[in-house]
Amino acid sequence: MGMSVTISAATEDDAEQILKLQYLCYQGEAELYGDYSIEPLTQTLDGLRTELAGGCVLVARLGDEVVGSVRGTVDTDGTASIAGLIVHPRMQRHGLGGRLLSAVEDRLADEWSARRFRLATGHRNEGNLRLYRKWGYAQVGTERVSAKVTLVTLEKGVGVFAASA
C-alpha cells in the first residue's frame, strides 16, 4: 500500500529534518558552482528555528518523513519572498516542487496578504529556472553574490498561475 505526500505547516519539531534535507538538497547546487560555503549548507539549526518562528514554512511529508519544504515571508509592501524550496532527490521530477510552490503562494496570499511573489536562484540552475518560469515567474534582475555565483531574481503577481501545471 503506497502513502501519499501531504503538505502542511512546519513545526519546531520539523527543524532538524528540514535542515538535514536542506543539506542533502543543496549539495548539487554547491557542486554546480564549486562553492560549498553557500548559506543553505552553513545555516545552523538555531538559524532555521528562527526562520520557522518568523515566517510561513511548509513541509511535504511522506508518512513521518519530511521530503520537501519551502519558506516565505511578506514585507510591508505586500511582496512575498519565497526561499528554501527543496525536494528530496528521490522525490524530484514528480510535481512535488510545484505543489509546494503553489501551497506557499496560496498561504502567503490568503493569510499574509501577499500581492506579489519574489524568489531567486543561481544562474546555472536550469532546473529551478525552468520550474519557476513554468509557474509564471519572470526574471526581474540579477545580483552577483560571489566570484562564482550570480542570483537570478524572478517575480510574479498574485493570481498569475502556472502555464501548464
Side-chain angles (χ1 to χ4, degrees):
M1 178 169 115
M3 290 188 280
S4 62
V5 175
T6 60
I7 297 175
S8 61
T11 68
E12 188 176 313
D13 293 338
D14 295 321
E16 194 170 326
Q17 280 194 72
I18 294 169
L19 190 63
K20 287 178 181 177
L21 180 61
Q22 175 177 295
Y23 188 81
L24 173 67
C25 291
Y26 277 92
Q27 293 298 312
E29 190 88 359
E31 184 177 341
L32 187 61
Y33 296 100
D35 184 355
Y36 287 83
S37 67
I38 59 175
E39 195 272 336
L41 296 181
T42 60
Q43 185 174 31
T44 65
L45 187 55
D46 285 341
L48 180 58
R49 285 189 173 124
T50 299
E51 284 188 47
L52 282 168
C56 175
V57 182
L58 302 180
V59 292
R61 297 180 203 283
L62 182 62
D64 292 333
E65 180 187 7
V66 172
V67 294
S69 183
V70 66
R71 304 169 209 170
T73 58
V74 180
D75 66 17
T76 56
D77 77 350
T79 299
S81 294
I82 297 173
L85 177 61
I86 53 175
V87 174
H88 194 289
R90 77 172 191 275
M91 304 293 292
Q92 292 177 2
R93 311 227 191 307
H94 297 287
L96 185 52
R99 284 181 56 202
L100 280 163
L101 189 57
S102 178
V104 79
E105 288 174 356
D106 289 348
R107 178 119 2 147
L108 291 169
D110 294 346
E111 297 174 18
W112 296 63
S113 302
R115 296 192 321 251
R116 173 178 39 260
F117 303 111
R118 178 180 297 144
L119 46 75
T121 191
H123 70 288
R124 292 184 188 158
N125 195 323
E126 290 299 325
N128 283 358
L129 289 167
R130 194 170 32 256
L131 172 69
Y132 299 146
R133 288 180 180 127
K134 175 182 174 182
W135 282 87
Y137 286 82
Q139 182 174 330
V140 295
T142 60
E143 176 188 3
R144 188 176 181 114
V145 294
S146 74
K148 298 178 181 181
V149 181
T150 297
L151 289 180
V152 177
T153 301
L154 302 102
E155 286 186 359
K156 75 175 190 176
V158 169
V160 176
F161 298 103
S164 61

